Structure formats: C-alpha cells, structure tokens
Amino acid sequence: MDELIAKLKTQIIEQLNLEGVSPDDISPDDQLFGEGLGLDSIDALELIVLLEKNYGIKIENPAEGKKIFATIRSMAEYITSKGKA
Amino acid sequence: MKAYIRGIGQISPQQTFAGDFLENVVAYNTNMMFCIDPVYKEFINPLQLRRMSRTLRMGVTAAKICLLDSGIEMPDAVITGTGFGCIEDTEKFLLAMLNNNEQQLTPTAFMQSTHNTISGQVAIMLKCKEYNSTYVNRGFSFETALLDSLMLIEEGNAHKVLLGGFDENSVNLHVTTERLGHWKKEKINSLQLLESKTPGTISGEGATFFMLTDKEDENNYALLKGFSTLYKPEDEKEVKLHVSDFLKRNNLSAGDIDLVVYGLNGDVRTDDVYYHLRDNLFNQTAGAYFKHLCGDYYTSSAFALWLSANAIKKQVIPESVRLGKAPSGVLKNILIVNHYRDINYSFMLVSQC
C-alpha cells in the first residue's frame, strides 16, 4: 500500500502540475478537494483519466467519486480493491 | 478614430516586462525566438498558475502589468487578437488524441486550446463581465482587435479598453511553417538580421497589452491618432500611395513624421517594399525597425506599437532599433509600417499627447 501511495503522489503531482509541491508535502490522509490540497472539479476529471490510463479503472458510478477521491489513501484502497495495484 | 494609450505591458524575447526600454538587448543565434519569462508567481496566484500553459502565463502577466501601469483596475472591454491562439495546448491535445486513440483525454489542454482563453482568463481574474472579444485574422489579428477597440471608444460604448495581441512560438509550429519557407534555413545573429540577404526570417512570439482610453491624462504614453490596413497590395507604388493618403487623412505630410518604424524582417523577398517607401517618401525621415528583437509573428505589430508609444513618452529611440541616423528634435509623430508576409499591411500613427 505504501508503495502505491508514493506512486500515486508522484503521478498526481505530475498530472495536475502541482508546482513547488513534493510527495513529502502531501499526507496520504489529506483531503484532496476543498481545504486540503485545494483541488477543483477540473482536477477531478484529470484524476478520473489518471485512474483509467494508469490503472485501467473506469469509474462507472459518479456517486462513488466523492468517496474514492477523498484522499490519496482512499484512492490507493480503491485501486487495491479492484486488484489493479 | 483615435485613443490615448494609458498603460502598457509586454512579455517578449527582450526583458520588456521589467521596464527595460531596450537598453540591454538580448541577441539570439537562431532562426526562432522565445520570450524571456518573468517570475510568473509574482503576478499570478500559484493555484491558477499551475494549470496555465506558457502563452496563457505570458498573456495574463502582460495584461496584469498593463493594468498596474495604467492605474485602471476595471476596463470597459477586453479585446485580444491572435493568429494561432494557444497553439501549444492545441498541439498537446491533438497529440494526446493521436497517442491515446481518442480515449482518456484530459480536459485542461482542450479547455485552454481555444483562441479566447487569454481574454477569458483576464476577465475571470478581474471579474469583468463587460464586452469580451478575440479576433483571429492571421496577419490582421491585432489590427482587427485594435479596430474594434477604437470603434468602441469612438462610439462612446467604452471609455477604457484593455487591448492585447499575443502569439506563441513552438518547435512544431516552427518546423511546419519552415517547410513553407517562412523562416531562414540558417541560424543567424538576430541583431544582424538585416545583413542576412537570404529568404525567410526569424520566427518569434510575444504578448502585449495596452490600456486605451478616450481621456486625456498626463500619464498617457501617446495618442494613437490614426490607423489603416491594406490587404495584398499590387506593388510598392500602391503602398506608397496608401501611406500618402493615410497621412493626408490625418492632416499630415511625410515631412511631419519624425520617425518611421518599419517591420523589416530580413527576408530578402519581402523587405524591398520598406526600402522603397524609405527611399521615395521618407528619405529625410529617421527610421527604426524591431523584428530583430522579437522575431516575426502574426501580431508583431503590437511590439511596434509598444516601441513607438514608449519612444514618444520617453522621447528616446533606443540605439538597438535605429535604422540610420537618429532624429533630431522632439519626437511628435511616429508612423508604424508593418506587413506580414507581404499580405497584411498595417499603418499606425502614434503622436505626442
């Protein structure tokens, strides 16, 4: 899990062009949206594509999105649960 | 139609963003130029910055510098002109479509690939819900934006207009247009552009914003007194006739012009028209040129307007742009003569306020 979390951090920083942010700056339990990392709806779309492109996972039910993308840990758990880690 | 230039902001291959009026020019040994980037974080919120492409950063920063320079916080209109728009994002999006077989496309590059991204972003940044328009007319893009700005001011529909011209260079764009013979095959010292008697020129880029207003003010740079365009003239004589008529319409003659800024770009195929004009109409008038500093691009006439407005305000013609002797006396009237690939000709008359 730790390895996947580290990988996700790097991928998110790269995909969302988080300038000046290093993997160590992000805690796996930080909220990605709102108060935490401050991501927005466009970033959400980028994350959906990231999951599809890098892990072959399609989010079929949009209602799940809020839960899956809450934190990096929740993303990693979801990927693991789909057997794609 | 006329308007005062109240404020200016420019990002270019020179250090123009820092208030340097071409005192320390940068030479390039190349056939393509890119802008010198300021520290964008000083101008744009980091959260917004991370998503912005290079041209968007350039445009928004030039607009911000212009707004600060003018002391005007909220314009009545935002109008921009661009030949290629945000070409790098367009390339990025199209490449992603190709590489991913039209699947898994991310939204950011697509959103920002539209030509009106910069005017839109400036409006969002200012929360400006007024008139907002972007013109894409190849070598007349900046000119059409200028025309719209002047018409808005003339008709009293706007009193302060934020006008911008921008285009970005990219390796893909350069290589593609190089095949069409636009650029020099050899790399040259940019400051010796006019000495290279070969076909083609140097590709360039830039983002320039002006705050135009109908109000007289001691802080105004200059008065944009007249403006005219000419499409595909038959020959050099037609250009000369057009310039004479243009001056006459503005109650001036060639002798009233203190400086002519020519759009000379070192292309042996298309520079003759400038030399013909100089030798036959302005042989007693000082000249200047600018494309050795910014390269050639669809909206490069905005660089010439930046140069002229600064020259009028500061009463200085930087040595790096002089073509022959420097003018003596007060700089009252500057005529800009520019063409893009011998197709789109524009003429601007910039006068002392």
Side-chain angles (χ1 to χ4, degrees):
Chain A
M1 180 68 78
D2 287 347
E3 200 179 316
L4 178 59
I5 284 173
K7 197 170 151 190
L8 268 173
K9 282 183 187 178
T10 311
Q11 286 170 338
I12 287 172
I13 288 170
E14 193 186 326
Q15 183 81 18
L16 305 184
N17 197 20
L18 298 174
E19 286 178 1
V21 177
S22 72
D24 292 341
D25 296 334
I26 312 172
S27 155
D29 299 310
D30 279 348
Q31 291 295 310
L32 292 178
F33 296 87
E35 286 299 305
L37 215 52
L39 305 185
D40 60 22
S41 57
I42 296 165
D43 296 315
L45 287 170
E46 296 277 1
L47 292 180
I48 289 169
V49 174
L50 186 149
L51 275 194
E52 196 178 336
K53 202 170 163 181
N54 296 313
Y55 299 95
I57 298 172
K58 268 193 174 182
I59 310 278
E60 304 289 355
N61 179 8
E64 282 183 321
K66 205 172 174 184
K67 205 174 145 194
I68 297 166
F69 295 119
T71 64
I72 287 182
R73 190 181 300 281
S74 62
M75 280 180 75
E77 283 169 356
Y78 184 71
I79 293 166
T80 309
S81 72
K82 294 281 175 184
K84 305 278 187 177
Chain B
M1 285 189 291
K2 61 176 189 178
Y4 296 99
I5 298 171
R6 174 73 61 83
I8 306 181
Q10 178 166 259
I11 309 292
S12 77
Q14 303 298 323
Q15 297 182 56
T16 48
F17 60 85
D20 181 308
F21 187 40
L22 307 177
E23 285 148 17
N24 305 296
V25 293
V26 180
Y28 296 87
N29 193 38
T30 182
N31 60 355
M32 63 189 302
M33 280 186 192
F34 292 96
C35 286
I36 298 173
D37 292 323
V39 180
Y40 288 115
K41 278 179 189 166
E42 290 177 6
F43 300 94
I44 304 169
N45 178 325
L47 280 175
Q48 292 177 317
L49 192 63
R50 71 179 168 88
R51 197 173 284 144
M52 289 184 175
S53 64
R54 205 169 57 87
T55 188
L56 195 47
R57 292 172 180 210
M58 281 159 49
V60 168
T61 302
K64 275 213 160 180
I65 293 172
C66 177
L67 287 159
L68 284 171
D69 188 42
S70 70
I72 293 171
E73 289 176 5
M74 185 63 76
D76 298 331
V78 180
I79 304 175
T80 58
T82 177
F84 276 121
C86 303
I87 193 78
E88 223 167 60
D89 270 325
T90 308
E91 286 171 359
K92 204 172 164 184
F93 180 69
L94 291 176
L95 274 172
M97 276 179 79
L98 275 173
N99 294 338
N100 300 339
N101 199 25
E102 299 184 19
Q103 302 293 311
Q104 301 155 349
L105 299 171
T106 57
T108 306
F110 173 65
M111 273 168 17
Q112 295 182 358
S113 64
T114 55
H115 292 74
N116 61 348
T117 305
I118 290 182
S119 62
Q121 191 65 49
V122 169
I124 290 169
M125 187 178 80
L126 296 176
K127 296 188 173 60
C128 174
K129 294 175 183 167
E130 304 296 334
Y131 183 90
N132 193 301
S133 197
T134 295
Y135 291 90
V136 184
N137 301 97
R138 299 194 181 188
F140 278 155
S141 300
F142 177 67
E143 283 75 2
T144 316
L146 172 60
L147 179 63
D148 193 16
S149 306
L150 292 174
M151 284 166 68
L152 275 179
I153 288 173
E154 175 83 6
E155 291 168 3
N157 292 325
H159 301 287
K160 36 195 194 303
V161 175
L162 184 62
L163 161 72
F166 66 91
D167 269 298
E168 70 175 325
N169 207 352
S170 83
V171 173
N172 278 336
L173 178 66
H174 178 90
V175 169
T176 309
T177 42
E178 193 173 43
R179 288 184 202 150
L180 302 171
H182 289 196
W183 319 121
K184 289 191 183 297
K185 287 188 176 139
E186 69 281 11
K187 288 180 179 175
I188 59 161
N189 180 335
S190 56
L191 299 185
Q192 291 164 0
L193 181 65
L194 300 191
E195 289 162 32
S196 68
K197 303 292 181 193
T198 55
T201 182
I202 300 176
S203 63
E205 63 174 14
T208 313
F209 274 78
F210 302 91
M211 182 63 79
L212 301 183
T213 168
D214 56 0
K215 300 279 185 297
E216 280 188 59
D217 190 283
E218 58 179 9
N219 293 320
N220 288 343
Y221 278 72
L223 173 66
L224 184 55
K225 199 173 179 180
F227 162 68
S228 179
T229 56
L230 178 64
Y231 181 69
K232 279 190 179 173
E234 193 82 8
D235 53 22
E236 291 150 347
K237 285 179 191 164
E238 189 183 341
V239 176
K240 185 183 161 224
L241 191 66
H242 188 93
V243 171
S244 298
D245 287 346
F246 173 61
L247 293 178
K248 208 180 284 176
R249 282 202 305 276
N250 287 285
N251 302 313
L252 293 171
S253 67
D256 295 317
I257 302 298
D258 304 299
L259 179 76
V260 182
V261 176
Y262 299 99
L264 286 158
N265 68 0
D267 188 333
V268 74
R269 300 166 301 186
T270 53
D271 269 355
D272 276 354
V273 66
Y274 296 115
Y275 293 123
H276 184 270
L277 204 58
R278 185 187 64 172
D279 297 342
N280 292 281
L281 196 61
F282 296 110
N283 55 355
Q284 299 297 315
T285 311
Y289 66 114
F290 60 95
K291 288 183 182 169
H292 58 309
L293 302 177
C294 62
D296 209 354
Y297 51 100
Y298 278 130
T299 49
S300 64
S301 53
F303 189 101
L305 187 57
W306 170 88
L307 169 65
S308 304
N310 271 292
I312 289 269
K313 186 176 187 181
K314 296 177 166 70
Q315 287 293 306
V316 169
I317 302 168
E319 211 174 320
S320 55
V321 301
R322 287 182 202 161
L323 187 69
K325 62 166 187 156
S328 54
V330 179
L331 267 178
K332 287 181 186 162
N333 296 306
I334 296 180
L335 175 69
I336 299 168
V337 179
N338 183 59
H339 70 72
Y340 187 79
R341 297 188 52 74
D342 200 24
I343 296 169
N344 309 96
Y345 281 71
S346 62
F347 311 90
M348 297 177 208
L349 186 59
V350 186
S351 300
Q352 207 173 21
C353 296

